[in-house]
Amino acid sequence: MSEKKISDQTNPENRKSIPLDWSYAEALENTSHATFNKSYGLFINGSFTNYDENQSFESINPANGEAIYRCTEASESDVDSAVKAARAAFEGEWGNYSGTQRSHYLYRIARMLQERAREFAVLESMDGGKPIRESRDVDIPLAAAYFFYYAGWADKLAFAFPGKHPKPLGVCAQIIPWNFPLLMLAWKIAPALACGNTVVLKPAETTSLTALKFCELLKDIGLPNGVVNIITGAGSTGEYLVQHPDIDKIAFTGSTGVGKSIQRSIAKRQISATFELGGKGAYILFDDAALNEAVEGIVNAIFFNQGHVCCAGSRLLVQEGVADRVIDLLKKRMQHLIIGDPLDKNTDIGAVNSRTQLDTIQRYVDTGIKEGASCYECSGTLPNKGFYFPPTLLTGVSQSSTVVQEEIFGPVLTIQTFRTTEEAIEKANNTPYGLANGIWTDKGSKIFHVGTKLKSGVVWSNTYNKFDPTSPFGGYKESGKGREGGISGLHAYVKLENSGGM
Amino acid sequence: MDKQTNHTASQSNTMNSIPKTYKNYINGEFPRTESGRYYSVKDPSDKHIANVGLSTRKDIRNAVQVARKAHGAWTDKTAYNRGQIIYRIAEILSGRREQFIHEMVLLGYTKQAAEQEVNACVELIVYFAGWTDKTTQVFGSINPVASNHFNFSRQESIGVVGIICPETPSLLGMLGLLLPNMVAGNSQVLIASHQYPLPSCTFAEVLATSDVPAGIVNIITGIKTDLIPSISQHMDVDLLVGDESLDTNFRNMCELESASNMKRVYFWKSFISLDELNSTPDKTIANCLNSLKDPYHILYVQEVKTTWHPVSE
């Protein structure tokens, strides 16, 4: 838009002629090309096992609460078959491949994902409830990008670890969450395969679809059998997997509670494990920041993917002098958020992933109010069917409030104020988590000062919720162990042998 | 303050000297354990050398508190400054060479092995002093993200570390665990070897007279069954480091209890057997230095922080 037009519209004389109805017409994404089966077996050793109704569970489209497909709940013996297949592949064909050969497979996966990107985006939104705009513009392109990035490392690993010989670990047990299903799969499988490992991956029980469709793609490119095995199921399947005696590595993304119980359960095994767990990111807004941009940043920090983001900026820390103005701007901005059908291209906030999660979010908001918080919700009506939660602000909270200390994993932002930089740092660091934080200020030196003091694996300055395959991601403290992405991400999938002569 | 004298334990064997009381080292001071209990450290012929404190959970707590408080100022120092402070440890140790050799011989070292090991200790300290301002350059990265952002990753200290020393009289083995953590910018609570606590205790005298700020290295003596549960369960300890030879039950305990606050846990080889040292000192020390001179040990005891910033007009 030219500058002239903008000034035209700001002229009150001209504004009168602009129609007042700003609502959007429905813009539904076409779903006809995104096909899937009514039921799925497990993907073990290069093919799907027979589906057994008696050993199955349904997956619900959270946008309308309807069951859309059923998949198999992997039993202990299924898990064993998957691990055996992965072991055989590691000790067989795949284990003997050169880095160059491995890289060619990974590049093909990246390309295939790009080719089928829209189909995967639609499926991701149908299965998980996230807005099509996000699955289309973020999840699927990034998933392809992770495969493309790590494909390139497969034959260059010696350069990633100066003075060492990197060797694969073996069979990797990988468990991923429901908030970014295909993207988390890519974060796990791409570096593991690049380093020469084989994997058994379990998607979350509410979002198995893109992982199962991903198996089609693996068959199409002819990845050797057993290199990637996908087993569906809930917590008990996950337990069978981490308890399996023949795995060499555990990579888990999920809640801190489950992460700790996995750590306890593997204590006697001296097994390599990396964790990407919960978070309670602070969004520190200084009074010298560009406030309109910062408010846009807040929306992205906490309402992106319905707030189902481990690194979400779920605590706004705003400097006292601008607090009222920021809250006012934020409330106004929130009124323009479009909540509704995830498959509508206009939708900003889609469906909450499951009934269980919806209840959790509600329970946290209730607790917040009970502990003295004031609650502000987006006005407007939510769809009749499905699981939806309006973007919500909680003010009048203190550092010890449950909603400030615990991860809600929904579109709920707590707001606290601060006076000095030191107070902001102190409050930001004062939770058991340490995944990501944001800093908004116009002053570069302050960014580096505060950024250095924040105990988190990611610091977003004047931006938030950005991800890239070259960029390491992961937490301090109870937000996890290890990093995914970049060279650091390779560390999680190799053992380093001394090459001598250091 | 209860400062120690420079007399060594060995002098207890001579008529005109007085034996040394070995105590904990916390916050740059030498307090007695709050338990008031002790155990006897013996030489290879089972002769009493010294009484050493049986520390408790309370001593661990005090040390962790001090280490946490000291951490910020240590990690905020420039890498150049930290490098000089670590280098200074080598200078002080070198000046007290005879004291350590004396004590090592008392513990069963041959004179030759003791001399070589102290030399190797000085060498290892100098080696790690040089890493403070290089790890970021070797292991850090600028990440070419596919968007208009400047993005970089660098290593930072983790915080408070519990170090479990191997059961060996070797000072080198203890330094192999301590030095990477000091370079990393961590502050530490070090549990001395139960059977051979004297080298760690005497090393505290080096630290006390060096430029290392109080509270950065704290040294506790006692029984592992008392101290390992305390350190591994402590909610303000961020990392546990130990030697691969640590008893499996203790190792499992570290892994299990680490779940309380998701402590990082790393074990690497730093144990050196006294028999091997005495029979083949050249080879043993060369091998040991080769495996301990590993900058990846610094990397393991740090966190990676990635910072993003938009690039725009």
Side-chain angles (χ1 to χ4, degrees):
Chain A
M1 193 183 275
S2 75
E3 213 168 276
K4 187 153 184 298
K5 270 186 185 163
I6 292 171
S7 58
D8 280 350
Q9 289 186 2
T10 52
N11 181 340
E13 287 300 311
N14 294 344
R15 217 188 285 162
K16 279 178 198 156
S17 61
I18 297 171
L20 288 172
D21 182 10
W22 285 85
S23 64
Y24 289 80
E26 197 177 61
L28 286 180
E29 176 69 38
N30 185 326
T31 60
S32 60
H33 57 297
T35 57
F36 54 92
N37 300 341
K38 286 258 176 294
S39 61
Y40 283 94
L42 308 166
F43 188 73
I44 295 174
N45 205 25
S47 58
F48 279 101
T49 61
N50 291 328
Y51 167 77
D52 175 3
E53 183 81 27
N54 297 323
Q55 196 196 324
S56 71
F57 61 98
E58 64 183 12
S59 187
I60 285 167
N61 179 350
N64 54 25
E66 288 164 14
I68 50 174
Y69 66 98
R70 295 186 72 85
C71 45
T72 303
E73 173 118 41
S75 67
E76 195 167 4
S77 68
D78 294 327
V79 170
D80 186 52
S81 308
V83 173
K84 282 201 171 95
R87 174 63 58 197
F90 180 70
E91 280 166 7
E93 199 181 353
W94 182 254
N96 292 323
Y97 276 177
S98 66
T100 309
Q101 285 171 298
R102 294 198 306 272
S103 83
H104 288 180
Y105 281 105
L106 287 166
Y107 277 124
R108 278 308 299 152
I109 294 174
R111 283 312 214 199
M112 290 282 269
L113 274 179
Q114 288 172 331
E115 286 160 18
R116 296 175 61 172
R118 190 58 62 88
E119 175 192 359
F120 273 95
V122 169
L123 294 173
E124 201 75 300
S125 284
M126 288 174 79
D127 200 22
K130 64 171 63 207
I132 184 70
R133 216 180 55 223
E134 289 176 10
S135 49
R136 182 195 66 199
D137 297 347
V138 181
D139 289 66
I140 310 305
L142 261 182
Y146 272 81
F147 276 106
F148 200 89
Y149 173 75
Y150 279 113
W153 269 122
D155 56 357
K156 302 169 190 68
L157 291 174
F159 296 94
F161 306 103
K164 297 279 185 184
H165 286 311
K167 296 276 187 270
L169 295 168
V171 176
C172 303
Q174 305 179 317
I175 298 175
I176 58 171
W178 45 258
N179 57 344
F180 296 91
L182 189 74
L183 183 56
M184 292 299 105
L185 174 148
W187 284 27
K188 293 281 181 287
I189 294 182
L193 264 49
C195 295
N197 303 284
T198 57
V199 309
V200 178
L201 178 137
K202 186 192 90 64
E205 68 269 29
T206 59
T207 53
S208 309
L209 191 51
T210 45
L212 293 165
K213 288 292 281 190
F214 180 77
C215 303
E216 286 178 5
L217 184 152
L218 297 179
K219 282 168 110 171
D220 289 346
I221 66 160
L223 186 76
N225 295 343
V227 175
V228 172
N229 304 275
I230 307 278
I231 52 167
T232 48
S236 56
T237 302
E239 257 184 78
Y240 297 138
L241 182 55
V242 299
Q243 293 305 332
H244 197 286
D246 200 32
I247 55 168
D248 301 296
K249 153 91 195 175
I250 292 169
F252 172 79
T253 298
S255 74
T256 294
V258 176
K260 286 180 177 181
S261 73
I262 292 176
Q263 174 60 41
R264 287 194 184 98
S265 75
I266 60 169
K268 291 182 178 172
R269 295 172 59 189
Q270 294 174 16
I271 188 170
S272 164
T274 43
F275 296 91
E276 208 274 86
L277 308 175
K280 195 72 192 176
Y283 188 101
I284 307 171
L285 177 43
F286 287 97
D287 58 10
D288 62 352
L291 294 188
N292 284 314
E293 286 173 31
V295 166
E296 215 42 54
I298 296 171
V299 168
N300 179 46
I302 183 59
F303 302 134
F304 175 60
N305 199 33
Q306 298 73 247
H308 300 330
V309 187
C310 44
C311 51
S314 53
R315 293 183 291 145
L316 172 61
L317 302 178
V318 56
Q319 202 154 16
E320 212 171 68
V322 293
D324 289 345
R325 188 143 166 252
V326 165
I327 293 169
D328 190 46
L329 284 169
L330 180 60
K331 285 178 176 173
K332 284 199 179 110
R333 175 66 183 86
M334 282 164 68
Q335 294 311 324
H336 295 282
L337 292 172
I338 301 171
I339 308 152
D341 189 346
L343 286 173
D344 191 315
K345 283 172 260 187
N346 295 320
T347 295
D348 295 309
I349 315 280
V352 168
N353 184 261
S354 65
R355 163 70 63 190
T356 317
Q357 187 55 27
L358 186 63
D359 293 344
T360 302
I361 299 168
Q362 188 61 59
R363 204 166 50 241
Y364 269 116
V365 171
D366 293 345
T367 304
I369 293 168
K370 215 177 288 169
E371 291 180 8
S374 304
C375 176
Y376 173 85
E377 281 181 0
C378 262
S379 60
T381 52
L382 300 176
N384 296 327
K385 289 192 297 179
F387 317 133
Y388 292 90
F389 200 89
T392 300
L393 307 180
L394 293 175
T395 51
V397 296
S398 69
Q399 192 67 32
S400 59
S401 300
T402 307
V403 288
V404 169
Q405 287 293 320
E406 295 181 17
E407 183 176 41
I408 300 175
F409 225 61
V412 181
L413 179 72
T414 63
I415 303 181
Q416 294 169 272
T417 59
F418 68 89
R419 287 184 183 177
T420 64
T421 304
E422 270 47 55
E423 186 187 351
I425 294 165
E426 174 73 31
K427 283 182 168 167
N429 285 337
N430 189 357
T431 79
Y433 296 110
L435 191 49
N437 289 296
I439 308 166
W440 285 72
T441 170
D442 219 19
K443 202 172 169 194
S445 54
K446 199 186 280 179
I447 288 172
F448 287 111
H449 171 69
V450 177
T452 307
K453 303 276 178 188
L454 291 175
K455 300 235 178 280
S456 62
V458 180
V459 172
W460 281 299
S461 357
N462 293 324
T463 185
Y464 209 94
N465 273 343
K466 294 282 178 276
F467 308 94
D468 192 277
T470 66
S471 175
F473 178 93
Y476 282 43
K477 301 197 283 185
E478 296 189 19
S479 285
K481 294 181 187 180
R483 295 292 178 271
E484 294 181 295
I487 294 181
S488 304
L490 292 170
H491 270 270
Y493 291 100
V494 291
K495 53 183 173 225
L496 298 180
E497 290 174 1
N498 281 331
S499 54
M502 293 226 293
Chain B
M1 196 171 83
D2 229 341
K3 276 275 178 194
Q4 284 194 318
T5 68
N6 283 343
H7 297 287
T8 67
S10 62
Q11 288 168 314
S12 66
N13 295 332
T14 67
M15 289 296 287
N16 296 326
S17 68
I18 50 166
K20 182 166 78 186
T21 306
Y22 287 86
K23 293 187 286 185
N24 285 338
Y25 181 60
I26 299 175
N27 204 22
E29 299 175 6
F30 293 89
R32 290 178 199 278
T33 163
E34 67 87 43
S35 76
R37 294 182 295 142
Y38 71 95
Y39 66 104
S40 169
V41 174
K42 307 263 196 331
D43 74 5
S45 63
D46 212 32
K47 194 169 158 241
H48 173 87
I49 304 176
N51 291 326
V52 171
L54 278 177
S55 304
T56 65
R57 177 176 290 263
K58 181 79 175 6
D59 296 303
I60 293 277
R61 278 195 204 147
N62 290 343
V64 170
Q65 200 175 12
V66 158
R68 173 62 65 194
K69 210 170 162 193
H71 173 246
W74 177 239
T75 200
D76 281 352
K77 286 191 188 303
T78 64
Y80 176 35
N81 195 197
R82 258 203 330 272
Q84 289 181 93
I85 290 171
I86 295 171
Y87 183 85
R88 173 91 176 145
I89 302 173
E91 290 178 348
I92 307 287
L93 177 63
S94 194
R96 288 170 171 259
R97 204 168 165 274
E98 296 309 318
Q99 180 189 1
F100 278 89
I101 292 167
H102 225 91
E103 196 168 271
M104 285 170 166
V105 169
L106 200 67
L107 294 169
Y109 276 75
T110 63
K111 184 96 192 300
Q112 190 206 357
E115 284 173 352
Q116 289 199 23
E117 175 161 329
V118 176
N119 293 347
C121 287
V122 171
E123 182 180 330
L124 192 69
I125 297 169
V126 172
Y127 172 83
F128 273 106
W131 268 116
T132 56
D133 50 8
K134 294 166 193 69
T135 50
T136 313
Q137 292 181 308
V138 175
F139 297 118
S141 61
I142 294 175
N143 310 309
V145 294
S147 57
N148 283 328
H149 292 90
F150 183 71
N151 175 305
F152 61 93
S153 298
R154 51 174 286 190
Q155 282 70 30
E156 280 188 354
S157 63
I158 292 185
V160 176
V161 186
I163 299 178
I164 302 157
C165 291
E167 287 302 319
T168 160
S170 166
L171 182 65
L172 193 57
M174 176 267 219
L175 291 175
L177 299 178
L178 173 66
L179 290 167
N181 277 293
M182 292 194 75
V183 173
N186 295 326
S187 55
Q188 23 273 320
V189 175
L190 199 136
I191 297 173
S193 158
H194 173 254
Q195 203 186 342
Y196 304 102
L198 303 194
S200 295
C201 289
T202 306
F203 186 72
E205 294 169 29
V206 171
L207 294 168
T209 49
S210 75
D211 295 336
V212 177
I216 296 305
V217 185
N218 303 280
I219 299 173
I220 306 280
T221 58
I223 307 177
K224 284 193 161 68
T225 43
D226 289 341
L227 302 178
I228 291 181
S230 303
I231 195 93
S232 59
Q233 289 164 3
H234 200 297
M235 291 298 277
D236 206 27
V237 171
D238 302 298
L239 167 72
L240 297 172
V241 167
D243 167 59
E244 281 176 355
S245 69
L246 182 67
D247 177 85
T248 312
N249 288 328
F250 287 136
R251 234 179 123 157
N252 292 347
M253 182 187 290
C254 288
E255 294 282 355
L256 182 72
E257 300 295 350
S258 74
S260 56
N261 63 338
M262 294 309 280
K263 290 177 186 70
R264 288 83 177 105
V265 183
Y266 281 108
F267 291 93
W268 61 76
K269 186 180 167 359
S270 77
F271 176 82
I272 309 173
S273 124
L274 184 57
D275 290 344
E276 278 179 40
L277 266 173
N278 282 340
S279 58
T280 53
D282 290 335
K283 185 168 152 255
T284 306
I285 285 183
N287 285 345
C288 183
L289 274 180
N290 194 39
S291 101
L292 291 179
K293 283 185 178 179
D294 187 343
Y296 284 81
H297 293 161
I298 307 166
L299 192 65
Y300 297 149
V301 297
Q302 291 187 310
E303 292 281 3
V304 174
K305 179 182 278 176
T306 300
T307 302
W308 294 68
H309 196 281
V311 176
S312 62
E313 280 178 27

